[in-house]
Amino acid sequence: MGLFIAQLLTGLANAAALFLVASGLSLIFGVTRIVNFAHGSFYMLGAFIGYSLMQVLPGAVGFWSSILLAGLAVGFIGVIVELLVLRPVYKAPELFQLVATFGVILVIQDLALMIWGAEDVLGPRAPGLKGVIRIMDEPVPKFDLALIAITPFVLFALWYLISKTRVGVLVRAATQDREMVGALGVNQSWLFTGVFFLGAALAGLGGAIQLPKGGADLLMDFNILASIFVVVVIGGMGSLPGAYIAAVLISVLNVFGVAYIPQSTLVLMFVVMAVVLTVRPYGLLGREEVAGEHGQVGEPEQPIKPAGRSARILVLVFLIALACLPFVAEPFFTILATDVIVFCLFAASLHFILGLGGLVSFGHAAYFGGGAYVAALLVNYADAPMELAFLMAPIGAGLLAAIIGWLCLRLSGVYFAMLTLALAQLVWSLVFQWDEFTGGDDGLVDIWPPDYLSDTTVYFYFTMVVGIGGIILLRHMAHTPFGYALRASRDSVRQAEATGIHTKRIQWLAFSVAGALAGLAGALFVFSKGSVFPVELEIAKSFDGLIVVFLGGVKTLSGGVVGAAALTLVQDYITRFEYWRLALGLLIIVVVIIAPKGIVGSFRALFENRLGSAGDKPTGGTQ
Amino acid sequence: MLKLSEINSHYGKAHILNNLSFCVGPGEVVSLLGRNGAGKTTTVKSIMQLVRPSSGDVDFEGQSLVRSAPHQVAKLGIGYVPEERRIFTDLTILENLEVGKQPARKGIAPWNQQRLFDIFPNLSERRNNRGKALSGGEQQMLSIARTLMGNPRLLLLDEPSEGIAPVIVEQMVTTILKLKEEGLSVLLSEQNLHFARLVADRAVIIESGEKKFDGTFDELEANTEIRDAYLSV
Ligand SMILES: Nc1ncnc2c1ncn2[C@@H]1O[C@H](COP(=O)(O)OP(=O)(O)OP(=O)(O)O)[C@@H](O)[C@H]1O
Ligand SMILES: [Mg+2]
């Protein structure tokens, strides 16, 4: 009994930081409609800044003021990010801002590395709260009790701000219809900035307040991301009490998980989420998101045309040039080109559901890594020949996508996106923690193709045929009735249903197909590298996919492929420098700001402008 | 007071307003008439800068509105009541009014909850109800009341009578006349000629974004050709 209560208390204490960070994310999303992926970075900054402040400010007063100051400082960093990075891109196509926040993640990672170094830092213990209190003979840290006591006050303060003050009324109104709030004379820009300040400050507070328990390190940004998404989704987007309940639920279960089933701690959280969402699709206290409720009207969609003659010739010339590569360049370039093609296929498969289907998957790496692991496991355990393993990879990944897609497609919009991320994390944690079967962190090695394909050049041609074949297949599908139905389901579910399209089934099929082709890319990958590790399933991999699709251009068919090629090449070059993340992050932010239609889209716009739609050039459109 | 000069507006490539010019004088109620799709809403939104005109100018009390943000237009004293009402359904009536609240303006008796509840007694009874619990007519009143909280000099009303029971429309007539007495100028976008005639001093008729008529209702009455061609009476 004593142990039980002690564990319960530890869980409640752990919930404090999680709640602070998650409530900030939820708040920012509610008003700005931006899923702030850099939120984990704000959390990390809060921890590091709090740590530095605690080094100079002595005593209990110093400790607690450090936490508050860290929150304030991170709030101001959030304001800087909002003003410099996000404000220029609010009018960009929906979700494009995501890419900007990826850029911010990279920049903050390197800045933190520069300032605080690569070593993990141990958080100082809270002065005056160092010891333990015995509760039914079990030691409970005093600091834990302090955290448990503080959190409800924070919840209450936030609740009061949101439901009882003018600012809160404006925030809630803007959550529903921000254009109307503007038309009533409220400067939304400052409302956004204010909300960003508050959200970032909460993340910073969360980071600083957990210092005595967790310290600070450079991985905490990504490490907390999945958890806060899960908390927000379980609690219900935009519900602060929901976030609190969910944070407690997750933290408490986690403590018990560590105690009783240490093998599955990572998995547990996602299982809970899956259960909650099955019963309550919009979270414990969330309300249904009505599509289009926020009345954002983007620019009219340019219908996608099949490639014209000149485009086809251009592509053909390019492919021939590519095929000549092994004869004219060093083997290094052949390997690089193989990587590029693999990544292009992965990106094209994501683009297929994202661009044509309007289904934003945050967890597409699950299918890429899933395919790679299916092949590797078959080779490893069943001694399967490469041909069979290669065939099973897309089938396995497609099945995985079918299962995850079936679960996720009951939701839409950001709930859909978050659920795909969380389920992808579930796959990752399964692979990561199931050492005996998957090799865990050590991965699976020695997965080579048979002799006739083992030569780099031969494998390059093999990749070219399979990879580009896959890309062409995806492109082709865009112009089949299936592709039309998919686009119709994206543009208007109601009208598509009225013309007899079963939208959910079409989207489910598309999701599975995209998963299968990502799995194919995974198979190409595993046999070219000879090994596979859990990183191929990580959030970062999914984000890479999203970055290239958005940077390439969501609304153009070639966007994914062009973006993937550009990113791989840039990354190959840039990673030679020490602070390459900083450079890449800045590059991404700059591209987002100057080319909000993506690389292909912006080139096309430039091209069309030059060709002169002479005379009447519309500049209107709703804001 | 408000002067539109040669306004052109587009949605993407569709050209909606075509060199549209007209004005609203101080204390005047002008009715913007036209059929479905004539461009009334687009005109109102072009004044609010919710749609950005590609050329032409909108002048309000000597200030050009083009290139201002909608919130700046509102701050200058233009109140916008959208066709879809767009009340905040998750907020209570009182909270909806709070969103519209702006500082008092010189020369205008400042609006507050009590004064508004005197005009819209139905809202008073339900002040703590959420927006989504209101009927269409009540939502329309709340939308007007919310905008009045900003103490506008000019009110843009986009089809307030649309989809509303005749009794409530009658009430609306009284309300608009009362507002006029207060010295408020009104631009009233309407399809309902009878309603417009009861409250407005002057009519502007548009069709396909072009002005077809600008004059008093007596002149319009005399000109049956125009009336039959551009209004569905
Ligand atoms: N967001 C939009 N995108 C493209 N076209 C639009 C959009 N909104 C309106 N239109 C078109 O612009 C034209 C004018 O529309 P508007 O809404 O201004 O007309 P209206 O006079 O207000 O009509 P109603 O009486 O039905 O409200 C119509 O042909 C309409 O189809
Ligand atoms: Mg209209």
Side-chain angles (χ1 to χ4, degrees):
Chain A
M1 188 62 197
L3 185 63
F4 180 85
I5 288 179
Q7 281 169 338
L8 194 67
L9 291 174
T10 311
L12 278 168
N14 290 349
L18 199 54
F19 164 68
L20 285 170
V21 187
S23 59
L25 181 76
S26 181
L27 210 58
I28 290 178
F29 174 78
V31 175
T32 64
R33 294 277 127 185
I34 289 179
V35 179
N36 178 31
F37 280 117
H39 213 66
S41 309
F42 291 155
Y43 167 71
M44 178 173 79
L45 281 179
F48 276 115
I49 294 175
Y51 169 79
S52 293
L53 287 169
M54 285 171 196
Q55 304 302 304
V56 288
L57 301 176
V61 176
F63 176 83
W64 292 105
S65 7
S66 298
I67 292 177
L68 288 180
L69 286 174
L72 275 181
V74 175
F76 281 112
I77 293 171
V79 169
I80 294 172
V81 168
E82 201 270 343
L83 290 180
L84 293 184
V85 181
L86 295 174
R87 212 175 254 203
V89 294
Y90 277 131
K91 285 186 197 136
E94 210 182 334
L95 286 173
F96 197 67
Q97 296 93 346
L98 281 187
V99 185
T101 66
F102 293 142
V104 174
I105 294 181
L106 294 173
V107 170
I108 291 182
Q109 260 173 1
D110 261 2
L111 288 180
L113 176 64
M114 277 182 202
I115 300 173
W116 289 282
E119 299 277 311
D120 296 1
V121 303
L122 215 56
R125 295 206 284 148
L129 293 170
K130 281 184 182 155
V132 294
I133 286 179
R134 296 221 162 245
I135 296 180
M136 299 174 99
D137 276 351
E138 291 293 331
V140 176
K142 285 184 194 162
F143 184 66
D144 278 9
L145 294 176
L147 284 182
I148 295 171
I150 291 170
T151 322
F153 285 103
V154 178
L155 174 62
F156 177 77
L158 280 177
W159 172 83
Y160 186 85
L161 177 75
I162 296 299
S163 45
K164 296 289 170 209
T165 64
R166 171 166 169 90
V167 170
V169 170
L170 294 181
V171 163
R172 278 181 290 140
T175 302
Q176 194 184 346
D177 186 347
R178 59 195 202 202
E179 189 187 64
M180 193 60 222
V181 173
L184 288 168
V186 177
N187 186 347
Q188 301 169 62
S189 314
W190 289 111
L191 196 61
F192 280 27
T193 310
V195 164
F196 230 85
F197 173 83
L198 183 60
L202 285 168
L205 275 181
I209 212 166
Q210 61 81 53
L211 272 170
K213 294 170 74 75
D217 61 72
L218 288 173
L219 295 176
M220 33 191 316
D221 53 350
F222 271 116
N223 284 347
I224 198 162
L225 210 50
S227 322
I228 53 178
F229 276 24
V230 167
V231 165
V232 168
V233 169
I234 291 185
M237 206 86 217
S239 164
L240 290 171
Y244 180 66
I245 295 172
V248 168
L249 186 68
I250 292 294
S251 306
V252 169
L253 275 172
N254 203 37
V255 172
F256 285 111
V258 171
Y260 302 112
I261 31 171
Q263 287 311 301
S264 58
T265 43
L266 293 170
V267 182
L268 197 62
M269 174 166 82
F270 303 108
V271 174
V272 173
M273 184 185 70
V275 172
V276 169
L277 290 187
T278 314
V279 186
R280 292 190 62 90
Y282 293 92
L284 292 174
L285 301 181
R287 70 183 181 92
E288 190 168 346
E289 286 274 311
V290 183
E293 179 183 10
H294 302 283
Q296 267 173 296
V297 185
E299 278 196 35
E301 196 87 10
Q302 285 278 0
I304 297 169
K305 297 185 284 272
R309 235 178 102 86
S310 51
R312 277 171 200 237
I313 292 172
L314 204 70
V315 169
L316 200 65
V317 169
F318 175 75
L319 287 182
I320 291 170
L322 190 64
C324 296
L325 189 75
F327 300 109
V328 295
E330 295 166 43
F332 164 76
F333 287 103
T334 312
I335 295 175
L336 181 61
T338 308
D339 292 351
V340 170
I341 296 172
V342 169
F343 194 44
C344 283
L345 177 58
F346 172 57
S349 70
L350 176 61
H351 183 274
F352 183 70
I353 44 169
L354 205 161
L356 300 182
L359 302 169
V360 184
S361 166
F362 286 170
H364 207 56
Y367 319 113
F368 178 82
Y373 265 96
V374 167
L377 288 169
L378 279 171
V379 171
N380 209 31
Y381 287 101
D383 256 329
M386 181 243 192
E387 293 80 4
L388 178 67
F390 209 88
L391 190 70
M392 291 310 290
I395 295 179
L399 279 176
L400 181 64
I403 296 169
I404 293 184
W406 182 80
L407 283 170
C408 297
L409 277 167
R410 304 182 319 134
L411 308 178
S412 58
V414 76
Y415 276 88
F416 171 84
M418 297 233 179
L419 193 56
T420 56
L421 179 128
L423 289 173
Q425 278 303 95
L426 172 63
V427 174
W428 170 81
S429 46
L430 268 176
V431 169
F432 190 80
Q433 287 200 314
W434 199 357
D435 275 359
E436 311 93 82
F437 185 56
T438 61
D441 208 13
D442 299 329
L444 295 167
V445 292
D446 231 4
I447 319 289
W448 294 108
D451 287 342
Y452 69 93
L453 276 177
S454 60
D455 180 68
T456 337
T457 310
V458 178
Y459 197 79
F460 165 70
Y461 285 122
F462 176 67
T463 306
M464 227 181 120
V465 171
V466 176
I468 293 172
I471 294 172
I472 292 174
L473 175 69
L474 283 168
R475 229 198 124 91
H476 174 73
M477 275 192 284
H479 300 296
T480 59
F482 170 53
Y484 299 145
L486 184 59
R487 279 187 263 164
S489 314
R490 168 196 67 191
D491 293 336
S492 169
V493 171
R494 200 143 35 97
Q495 285 175 26
E497 295 268 350
T499 52
I501 297 169
H502 197 311
T503 54
K504 284 281 180 255
R505 198 178 294 159
I506 291 284
Q507 290 175 332
W508 187 39
L509 191 61
F511 198 83
S512 312
V513 167
L517 282 153
L520 187 65
L524 283 171
F525 170 85
V526 70
F527 287 106
S528 80
K529 299 292 175 209
S531 56
V532 59
F533 302 96
V535 283
E536 300 310 327
L537 293 158
E538 269 181 6
I539 301 185
K541 181 86 190 178
S542 298
F543 284 10
D544 278 350
L546 286 167
I547 290 177
V548 301
V549 169
F550 279 110
L551 282 191
V554 180
K555 299 195 171 173
T556 47
L557 269 186
S558 44
V561 173
V562 172
L567 185 75
T568 320
L569 294 175
V570 169
Q571 217 162 15
D572 176 73
Y573 177 73
I574 222 170
T575 42
R576 293 167 207 181
F577 301 104
E578 193 183 355
Y579 292 115
W580 64 272
R581 286 191 189 84
L582 180 66
L584 184 63
L586 290 175
L587 184 72
I588 288 173
I589 293 171
V590 168
V591 173
V592 166
I593 292 175
I594 61 174
K597 289 178 179 166
I599 301 172
V600 178
S602 297
F603 267 114
R604 182 174 292 173
L606 205 67
F607 189 64
E608 281 171 1
N609 263 2
R610 296 272 309 265
L611 279 183
S613 35
D616 130 339
K617 246 241 91 226
T619 51
T622 45
Q623 281 197 317
Chain B
M1 171 152 239
L2 178 79
K3 187 158 178 275
L4 281 74
S5 334
E6 309 262 302
I7 288 290
N8 284 282
S9 288
H10 302 259
Y11 289 115
K13 286 188 174 141
H15 194 163
I16 307 294
L17 297 188
N18 207 340
N19 286 328
L20 184 65
S21 311
F22 67 88
C23 53
V24 180
E28 196 179 19
V29 178
V30 173
S31 174
L32 184 64
L33 293 159
R35 288 210 196 100
N36 281 111
K40 302 182 294 293
T41 300
T42 310
T43 307
V44 172
K45 285 191 173 176
S46 299
I47 297 169
M48 267 328 275
Q49 302 304 310
L50 289 165
V51 168
R52 299 217 166 253
S54 52
S55 70
D57 192 32
V58 183
D59 178 290
F60 178 65
E61 297 185 323
Q63 290 223 38
S64 172
L65 300 183
V66 292
R67 276 188 286 283
S68 305
H71 76 267
Q72 291 166 323
V73 176
K75 277 231 160 33
L76 285 173
I78 300 186
Y80 168 56
V81 181
E83 186 172 6
E84 317 85 1
R85 291 144 203 170
R86 290 169 78 165
I87 60 160
F88 304 110
T89 46
D90 280 344
L91 273 55
T92 64
I93 288 185
L94 286 177
E95 287 172 337
N96 267 280
L97 295 180
E98 177 67 34
V99 179
K101 192 162 113 189
Q102 292 289 328
R105 212 178 289 279
K106 246 200 289 176
I108 294 172
W111 289 98
N112 55 35
Q113 290 160 6
Q114 202 43 59
R115 279 188 70 205
L116 287 168
F117 288 149
D118 291 343
I119 301 189
F120 304 108
N122 314 33
L123 295 183
S124 173
E125 293 155 25
R126 321 197 56 183
R127 59 181 80 189
N128 286 315
N129 284 24
R130 281 176 199 275
K132 63 178 144 217
L134 303 183
S135 71
E138 287 165 336
Q139 292 198 357
Q140 183 64 65
M141 300 197 178
L142 177 57
S143 188
I144 296 175
R146 181 181 66 179
T147 301
L148 287 174
M149 284 293 281
N151 301 311
R153 290 184 206 285
L154 169 69
L155 196 60
L156 307 177
L157 284 175
D158 198 354
E159 298 206 34
S161 71
E162 193 185 13
I164 284 179
V167 203
I168 314 263
V169 174
E170 263 168 49
Q171 225 172 309
M172 199 94 69
V173 172
T174 331
T175 308
I176 295 176
L177 290 175
K178 210 180 282 179
L179 294 177
K180 192 183 168 193
E181 256 168 51
E182 298 254 348
L184 201 68
S185 313
V186 180
L187 178 64
L188 173 74
S189 143
E190 257 310 324
Q191 288 198 52
N192 182 338
L193 181 60
H194 304 294
F195 174 57
R197 185 198 319 224
L198 288 175
V199 293
D201 307 311
R202 195 152 56 83
V204 171
I205 299 182
I206 58 170
E207 170 71 24
S208 306
E210 286 182 41
K211 189 163 83 172
K212 299 293 180 190
F213 175 86
D214 189 340
T216 63
F217 281 89
D218 291 339
E219 283 164 7
L220 180 59
E221 201 63 25
N223 197 338
T224 45
E225 232 169 86
I226 292 265
R227 207 185 61 183
D228 296 346
Y230 302 118
L231 300 176
S232 30
V233 188

